[in-house]
Amino acid sequence: MGIDIERLDTHTDDETRRDKTRRYGTTGFESPAADYLRESVDLSRRLITNRTATFIYRMASDAMIHEGIDPGDIVVFDRSLNHVHGDVVVAICDQTYLCRRYNEVRMGNRIQMTLQAANPQYPDQMIMEGDSTFICGVVTSIIKLKHRARP
Amino acid sequence: MKRAFAHCDVNTCYTSCERVFNPKLEGKPVVVLSNNDGCAISVSSEAKALGIRMTAPWYQIKDIATQHGVIVLSSNYTLYGELSQRFMDILGDFVSPDEQEVYSIDESFLDLTAFQQLYDLNAYAHLIRNRVRKWIGLPICIGIGSTKTLAKLADFWAKKHPQFSGVCNINDMSEAVLMRRMARTEVGEVWGIGRRSARKLHDMGIHTIEDLVRADQQMLQKRFGVNLGRTIRELNGIVCHELTTITSPKQQIVSSRSFGNLITELEPIKSEMRYFVSQAVTKLRKDRSVCGLVGVFLMTNRHRTQDRQYHKSTYIRLPYPTDDLYTINHAAMCGIEQLFKIDFNFKKAGVCLMALQPASMTTQDLFAGGACEDRRERLNVTLAEMKGRFGPLIAQIGNVQAGSKARMRREHKSPDYLTNWHELPLLY
């Protein structure tokens, strides 16, 4: 049992779909489309490739507002992915979950890793050797609900 | 070829699950309480250091907790269940389904025998451990041994001694080192040796695992029964317990819980029982099993020393193995009526379905079949579907307290981070 996304997924196999048509199927002529039935596009499959390692959080600050990530947006991230320069990541910093851009900047002959917000009010955070900042995973999509169903 | 079993389990599972979503709990003493906030069922190492023990009743530790700022949480089984599922899935990626036993919510046995020619098992175990940590944020330890009992013992050592960095492999140890470790570990730590047996063994001068392994096996088996005999053979590397995998059905199904308040009358207890029965039967049908024996138990609160105490159970053998809610419910009601006595403050009851076997293996009883059975089956299926779609409380037999779940005391529960759109964890 998970959130709806998970439940949606259980009935999307090509096979199940055809079986259903068969079960409730036609008594007269078989539908000419029967052989062409394909799985309809499924958001949860598109957005989540590794279900086991994917987590869904909600953005609560305006730190990434110039990246188009607004407060209230749904953030999907995959903990199995390794972050590289330029990724939007989820990190734990000072015991708080942050959403930031991960950057590597060459400084002399060493590489400085930073977490950058997309809002000038938030300063860059350097990741130092031995500090407790921990990058959990890479953000794979942002979901904005445009028409919120009434509660 | 030597067998290789691995025992994997999550370190202080429930507190670790809470920490995944609430990093502020990291490094702090945390305690998770059982249903109805009864007693401590998960104690972080920091809280252990303050002297808080597992299963300590809440009212006994309340003072220490407030004094030292221990963070106390009610159990959030929805969350733990979801993470447990992911944990088992990750382990499942490393072996085939008949090489994995899901032993409890936070423990799993793997049979790695076939892998030892392909991989260095220690490296393989570290790979598993690191993946669980990275993918779902849970810290685990892994023990490897030539039997399940040894694997579990290895896991105990892996947890206890940081020098193993989370993976302890007994198959790699020399006989001398193994014996030295066994000589330093209490006999009560062995899987399958309960507190009472441990005490009896102590009285006989058997204090450590080494004492047990070197003792007269036949004499002990005569005194303690065949199970201890098996345990000793397993400690000596002789496999007596194979994995119980997804393909082999469960041994028993228990559904029980403490009541929100003390109950003195039969009717409300029966109402609670109906709920337990329906939970247990749902599980039974999901496993495609049938049961032949229904156990029922009823007890008072043994921590209320001012109360008269009563702990009793009984068993009802069913006329034929079944998964029929009505038959099982009827049996449980008969059982609880037998057990109930007036003038006691009851705290807890439960039902246990036993003598389980796969539904497909049942031989049709002469008196069991017929049209009536067919209609019953259709009703059972409909009920199960309704529960699946609308939740477990939608339809029940007889008078079930619809508020049972709501009444449960869970004052300090964390949000349903993984299963409720309105309670998603937040990013800043």
Side-chain angles (χ1 to χ4, degrees):
Chain A
M1 279 174 297
I3 316 188
D4 291 336
I5 281 188
E6 194 128 288
R7 234 175 280 145
L8 281 175
D9 215 21
T10 50
H11 294 294
T12 46
D13 288 348
D14 241 0
E15 206 50 45
T16 0
R17 202 154 159 155
R18 256 187 234 136
D19 285 350
K20 255 192 192 158
T21 331
R22 228 171 262 151
R23 185 144 42 98
Y24 303 117
T26 49
T27 47
F29 293 104
E30 202 180 332
S31 159
D35 285 341
Y36 299 91
L37 271 186
R38 292 287 180 271
E39 191 184 336
S40 32
V41 291
D42 179 342
L43 267 184
S44 71
R45 289 205 169 187
R46 181 73 184 80
L47 300 183
I48 300 177
T49 41
N50 185 346
R51 177 170 303 284
T52 311
T54 296
F55 290 84
I56 300 174
Y57 280 40
R58 191 182 295 281
M59 191 65 186
S61 83
D62 57 0
M64 294 298 279
I65 204 145
H66 296 309
E67 284 274 355
I69 308 175
D70 299 315
D73 285 355
I74 292 163
V75 178
V76 182
F77 75 102
D78 186 339
R79 294 185 59 130
S80 70
L81 299 176
N82 292 318
H83 52 277
V84 296
H85 171 73
D87 280 340
V88 176
V89 299
V90 167
I92 298 176
C93 194
D94 291 329
Q95 305 197 315
T96 306
Y97 271 106
L98 301 180
C99 180
R100 294 288 187 275
R101 186 171 289 283
Y102 170 77
N103 278 331
E104 291 173 357
V105 186
R106 183 167 287 281
M107 293 178 101
N109 52 3
R110 77 188 176 87
I111 289 171
Q112 175 62 54
M113 300 175 286
T114 57
L115 292 175
Q116 272 179 341
N119 181 340
Q121 288 173 355
Y122 292 75
D124 290 357
Q125 267 160 309
M126 310 278 175
I127 304 175
M128 296 302 175
E129 196 80 37
D131 77 8
S132 66
T133 301
F134 171 70
I135 297 178
C136 306
V138 177
V139 172
T140 51
S141 57
I142 308 293
I143 301 167
K144 292 170 183 295
L145 299 180
K146 284 303 184 192
H147 177 88
R148 275 159 227 250
R150 282 188 200 122
Chain B
M1 186 175 51
K2 214 172 188 177
R3 299 285 297 271
F5 290 95
H7 180 263
C8 317
D9 82 339
V10 180
N11 306 349
T12 60
C13 179
Y14 300 164
T15 47
S16 297
C17 289
E18 298 284 353
R19 278 176 172 161
V20 171
F21 297 98
N22 186 355
K24 293 199 164 48
L25 302 177
E26 209 61 61
K28 300 206 179 90
V30 180
V31 169
V32 176
L33 301 176
S34 63
N35 275 338
N36 279 321
D37 295 348
C39 57
I41 48 169
S42 183
V43 181
S44 79
S45 54
E46 296 83 357
K48 265 179 204 146
L50 295 172
I52 298 175
R53 295 271 154 263
M54 281 283 281
T55 72
W58 168 228
Y59 68 88
Q60 276 181 14
I61 54 177
K62 211 168 189 166
D63 289 342
I64 317 176
T66 27
Q67 200 183 322
H68 292 92
V70 176
I71 297 159
V72 177
L73 297 162
S74 307
S75 38
N76 183 347
Y77 283 112
T78 316
L79 178 70
Y80 313 149
E82 189 70 25
L83 278 178
S84 161
Q85 183 69 51
R86 292 182 186 217
F87 167 54
M88 298 303 170
D89 285 350
I90 294 173
L91 296 182
D93 283 347
F94 286 89
V95 292
S96 69
D98 55 354
E99 290 166 327
Q100 181 183 18
E101 170 178 348
V102 176
Y103 183 65
S104 72
I105 191 167
D106 62 346
E107 288 175 89
S108 181
F109 284 104
L110 307 177
D111 185 348
L112 299 180
T113 307
F115 294 84
Q116 50 193 347
Q117 285 159 321
L118 300 166
Y119 303 98
D120 167 14
L121 280 194
N122 293 327
Y124 202 60
H126 277 291
L127 203 65
I128 297 175
R129 185 170 180 265
N130 292 340
R131 182 175 291 181
V132 173
R133 180 84 211 197
K134 169 130 178 64
W135 285 22
I136 56 174
L138 291 179
I140 70 165
C141 282
I142 298 177
I144 298 170
S146 56
T147 64
K148 283 164 80 175
T149 306
L150 284 171
K152 192 139 169 146
L153 179 62
D155 198 359
F156 171 76
W157 287 334
K159 276 202 169 45
K160 190 133 193 171
H161 306 295
Q163 75 260 31
F164 286 118
S165 4
V167 175
C168 171
N169 184 352
I170 286 183
N171 285 0
D172 256 10
M173 269 180 208
S174 71
E175 186 69 20
V177 172
L178 177 60
M179 276 303 157
R180 226 173 22 240
R181 286 208 172 277
M182 283 183 162
R184 284 200 299 248
T185 311
E186 260 212 70
V187 71
E189 300 295 352
V190 175
W191 184 41
I193 295 185
R195 211 177 296 168
R196 206 177 307 166
S197 304
R199 211 174 305 138
K200 271 200 238 164
L201 287 166
H202 277 299
D203 291 343
M204 297 170 70
I206 297 172
H207 303 290
T208 68
I209 302 179
E210 190 205 18
D211 296 340
L212 182 67
V213 171
R214 295 197 193 283
D216 180 348
Q217 197 181 318
Q218 278 176 343
M219 178 273 289
L220 285 175
Q221 180 157 335
K222 243 180 228 153
R223 264 198 75 172
F224 288 84
V226 67
N227 279 332
L228 186 74
R230 284 204 191 106
T231 299
I232 299 173
R233 281 199 295 284
E234 284 239 316
L235 285 172
N236 281 314
I238 300 159
V239 176
C240 301
H241 301 296
E242 287 292 341
L243 295 190
T244 311
T245 60
I246 191 137
T247 40
S248 44
K250 282 184 197 159
Q251 307 302 303
Q252 57 178 27
I253 296 172
V254 182
S255 172
S256 96
R257 197 174 59 207
S258 296
F259 308 140
N261 303 307
L262 297 174
I263 302 182
T264 52
E265 280 152 28
L266 179 59
E267 245 346 282
I269 292 176
K270 281 170 90 173
S271 150
E272 295 274 354
M273 283 300 292
R274 288 189 195 102
Y275 179 71
F276 299 146
V277 170
S278 99
Q279 292 281 83
V281 170
T282 304
K283 236 182 253 174
L284 181 74
R285 295 180 72 91
K286 212 169 137 197
D287 295 344
R288 294 177 202 287
S289 300
V290 290
C291 87
L293 196 64
V294 178
V296 175
F297 63 88
L298 182 64
M299 52 178 76
T300 49
N301 183 353
R302 81 194 135 83
H303 297 296
R304 280 175 63 94
T305 42
Q306 70 270 38
D307 283 357
R308 284 199 300 149
Q309 297 295 310
Y310 183 89
H311 303 113
K312 218 168 165 182
S313 60
T314 186
Y315 302 96
I316 297 101
R317 189 163 286 284
L318 298 173
Y320 47 86
T322 182
D323 60 353
D324 176 40
L325 181 57
Y326 289 83
T327 312
I328 295 168
N329 189 60
H330 182 67
M333 289 305 123
C334 295
I336 202 77
E337 279 175 21
Q338 274 177 38
L339 290 185
F340 179 77
K341 276 215 163 91
I342 204 145
D343 281 340
F344 285 92
N345 291 326
F346 288 110
K347 178 67 184 159
K348 188 176 187 179
V351 66
C352 178
L353 307 184
M354 286 167 293
L356 304 185
Q357 60 186 91
S360 53
M361 264 165 54
T362 326
T363 46
Q364 277 294 321
D365 189 287
L366 193 57
F367 303 101
C372 163
E373 194 76 53
D374 253 45
R375 277 172 55 199
R376 191 60 82 68
E377 176 57 22
R378 287 215 305 274
L379 182 57
N380 276 320
V381 170
T382 310
L383 271 176
E385 268 181 24
M386 281 171 77
K387 283 180 194 166
R389 231 191 288 168
F390 302 109
L393 294 172
I394 183 69
Q396 309 280 359
I397 296 177
N399 167 29
V400 180
Q401 299 266 341
S404 279
K405 207 153 198 169
R407 272 209 334 260
M408 198 158 78
R409 221 168 38 226
R410 291 202 288 184
E411 284 163 15
H412 318 279
K413 193 181 79 61
S414 53
D416 284 329
Y417 297 113
L418 290 172
T419 46
N420 186 338
W421 284 112
H422 300 290
E423 299 184 8
L424 296 180
L426 300 178
L427 288 169
Y428 291 91

